[in-house]
Amino acid sequence: MTRIPDAVDAAGRHGIGITREDAESATRDVWIFDKHTFAHLGSRSYITRDEARGITTDTLYGIDAVMVRAVVDRHGEEPAGEEPARTES
């Protein structure tokens, strides 16, 4: 695990990144957290090598951002009523 002082999610929000490389699958994932609240903002995923496709350095293959959060009482239940609060940085 390595800390990245400035990582950016798919929504363009900056946060602290924690990265983990998996040499066996030739991938690296970065989980991005808000610098003040430590709420999970999103992630980025990279292919670190794939000789068959000519990839020899980090190539971005996935990115996301958590835009809405909600708490429910049971698995599979959806929030009722108002739209859940949005997290903003």
Side-chain angles (χ1 to χ4, degrees):
M1 302 293 271
T2 304
R3 180 179 180 268
I4 300 172
D6 186 34
V8 183
D9 72 2
R13 299 173 296 183
H14 292 256
I16 298 168
I18 302 296
T19 185
R20 177 186 173 274
E21 187 161 347
D22 184 348
E24 188 173 311
S25 67
T27 59
R28 181 171 63 88
D29 296 308
V30 179
W31 302 305
I32 304 163
F33 300 91
D34 182 272
K35 292 179 181 180
H36 305 288
T37 67
F38 303 112
H40 179 246
L41 299 177
S43 65
R44 299 173 76 94
S45 298
Y46 298 88
I47 297 172
T48 56
R49 72 176 186 288
D50 184 344
E51 287 80 17
R53 295 183 188 165
I55 298 170
T56 57
T57 60
D58 287 347
T59 299
L60 182 66
Y61 77 89
I63 185 170
D64 63 52
V66 177
M67 301 305 293
V68 176
R69 289 183 174 70
V71 177
V72 295
D73 292 327
R74 291 173 199 65
H75 174 74
E77 186 176 336
E78 293 193 21
E82 297 181 31
E83 185 174 328
R86 295 186 180 271
T87 302
E88 297 190 34
S89 297

